[in-house]
Amino acid sequence: MNKALLEVRDLSAGYITRKGYVPALRGVGLTINEGERVAVVGESGSGKSTLAAIMTRLEPRNLVIESGEVLYKGMNLLRMNGKELRRLRGREIAVVFQNPSESLNPLLRVGDQVVEALRLDGLRGREAKARALDLLRRVRLPDPERIYRSYPHELSGGQKQRVAIAIAIARSPKLLVADEPTTALDVSVQAKILDLLIRLNEEEGTTEVLITHDIGVAYDFAHRIIVMYAGRVVEEGPAEEVIREPLHPYTKHLIKSLPKAGELPSVEERALTAVAAKGCPYAPRCPAAIKGVCDAADPQPIKVGERVVACHAVARDFLG
Ligand SMILES: Nc1ncnc2c1ncn2[C@@H]1O[C@H](COP(=O)(O)OP(=O)(O)OP(=O)(O)O)[C@@H](O)[C@H]1O
Ligand SMILES: [Mg+2]
């Protein structure tokens, strides 16, 4: 029943900066199945946005892909040229960014921006307007006629993000990648936007990848959770299992440090991560680290039931 829509294989990438090369992803492998809601969770700098950018081929110019494949319906996105990618974008793969103000044109009325997306499918005039209004309604914006005529600055943050989602889904993409779509919004609005994404998935079958630093949000949203640390996937599995019975020490830590309502995680939690470190990058912080093992070699992912975990200590427990 699980049919892979997007597969990332052994993906390593980094950035060229003035201070030198900054590795960002190390041997990332994952599968996104058709119709699924997947959350990618990890702390700041773990490589989530880099992964999202490569999945949608919207990576910054200074990014270097060292190795790997990104297969969408079996086609390697990394081998596609600009024209081929433009054909996929919007119609097959769409993106929602953290800051809706950045994805909307401040000079254009909201309605015109939605219509612009629809034009790519050949819709014009009254037909395009009707469909745009329908989209604004589908993202649960109140008074779509008014919103249609508004400029982005006349809308609240939550409304703008709804418009950005309306534009993203305008051409009925199969895959929607949302990179921290609620982080810039008020807490009260965040849950509503997540609800909207969940309903889109349930009603239209859109496959969704949500990038978040908040494992609580990941749990509320996803069927499956992928945990990243220092540019690697450290644990992956059904959301229930990952939360109820985390296997990787880093996942355990994330769940233990889940903030109580209204509390923000402390800055110390966001310790600098070492993507290029020898051995397991989590070893220096890990309570379960095995001396001479974890600091010596990168742990290889192993399958534990429906879970995939990359941890020497877990491997020892399960494989003996
Ligand atoms: N455009 C860029 N140029 C240079 N380095 C970058 C760029 N974007 C990200 N990096 C670096 O790549 C690494 C991974 O960053 P990335 O933005 O993918 O992490 P993230 O998990 O999305 O973090 P956050 O939660 O802060 O958004 C970090 O070391 C970061 O500093
Ligand atoms: Mg990011």
Side-chain angles (χ1 to χ4, degrees):
M1 206 199 104
N2 282 350
K3 193 165 166 231
L5 184 63
L6 186 100
E7 279 179 273
V8 175
R9 291 190 186 153
D10 194 30
L11 181 65
S12 293
Y15 295 92
I16 293 173
T17 74
R18 252 176 286 157
K19 288 189 187 146
Y21 188 67
V22 179
L25 296 177
R26 275 282 162 271
V28 168
L30 53 91
T31 301
I32 310 292
N33 295 311
E34 243 170 54
E36 241 185 343
R37 294 194 303 271
V38 178
V40 177
V41 62
E43 66 196 36
S44 186
S46 56
K48 306 181 298 293
S49 292
T50 305
L51 176 64
I54 297 174
M55 279 179 172
T56 53
R57 291 305 316 274
L58 290 169
E59 65 269 10
R61 267 187 218 210
N62 61 332
L63 183 100
V64 178
I65 295 171
E66 297 166 38
S67 66
E69 289 181 311
V70 179
L71 303 174
Y72 178 79
K73 292 183 175 171
M75 302 173 287
N76 190 353
L77 297 183
L78 303 184
R79 294 263 171 81
M80 289 192 181
N81 62 31
K83 195 175 160 200
E84 291 167 318
L85 288 170
R86 274 193 297 281
R87 226 179 294 147
L88 285 185
R89 214 168 275 137
R91 195 161 60 182
E92 296 280 341
I93 304 175
V95 201
V96 177
F97 295 105
Q98 175 168 341
N99 190 341
S101 300
E102 278 166 28
S103 43
L104 299 178
N105 184 338
L107 304 174
L108 282 183
R109 288 181 201 270
V110 161
D112 293 335
Q113 302 191 47
V114 182
V115 165
E116 204 172 79
L118 294 170
R119 269 181 206 282
L120 295 167
D121 280 339
L123 289 189
R124 297 280 185 277
R126 224 178 285 167
E127 201 189 353
K129 179 169 181 184
R131 170 105 172 107
L133 284 170
D134 179 49
L135 280 162
L136 296 177
R137 217 168 285 127
R138 263 168 49 205
V139 295
R140 271 97 187 162
L141 277 161
D143 198 355
E145 289 276 356
R146 182 181 62 80
I147 302 278
Y148 188 96
R149 290 189 307 268
S150 305
Y151 287 94
H153 71 92
E154 295 172 299
L155 307 182
S156 71
Q159 290 175 329
K160 276 189 271 198
Q161 194 58 297
R162 284 176 196 269
V163 172
I165 293 170
I167 292 171
I169 63 166
R171 305 175 67 205
S172 309
K174 301 263 176 323
L175 175 67
L176 188 67
V177 178
D179 188 354
E180 307 260 13
T182 63
T183 308
L185 305 174
D186 288 348
V187 177
S188 60
V189 183
Q190 290 184 4
K192 291 186 184 144
I193 295 289
L194 287 180
D195 257 11
L196 171 63
L197 292 174
I198 290 172
R199 275 204 245 171
L200 268 174
N201 162 264
E202 285 175 350
E203 288 167 11
E204 322 209 359
T206 314
T207 305
E208 294 178 344
V209 177
L210 175 78
I211 307 282
T212 174
H213 59 271
D214 185 334
I215 199 161
V217 165
Y219 179 60
D220 288 340
F221 172 82
H223 300 121
R224 210 147 53 81
I225 294 179
I226 294 173
V227 183
M228 289 187 70
Y229 185 82
R232 294 149 170 94
V233 171
V234 296
E235 176 157 7
E236 187 220 296
E240 280 288 331
E241 285 184 30
V242 170
I243 300 295
R244 213 169 341 112
E245 199 198 344
L247 290 173
H248 197 284
Y250 176 61
T251 319
K252 290 181 184 171
H253 163 79
L254 277 182
I255 290 165
K256 245 195 305 183
S257 59
L258 251 178
K260 294 181 195 80
E263 260 173 55
L264 287 171
S266 66
V267 177
E268 292 75 42
E269 303 285 5
R270 305 186 155 209
L272 265 179
T273 54
V275 182
K278 191 163 137 255
C280 174
Y282 192 57
R285 287 166 73 185
C286 182
I290 310 162
K291 242 189 138 156
V293 175
C294 297
D295 48 12
D298 239 357
Q300 293 309 305
I302 59 161
K303 245 182 116 68
V304 181
E306 285 195 64
R307 221 97 57 91
V308 177
V309 189
C311 169
H312 289 296
V314 172
R316 237 183 219 194
D317 284 351
F318 282 90
L319 306 176

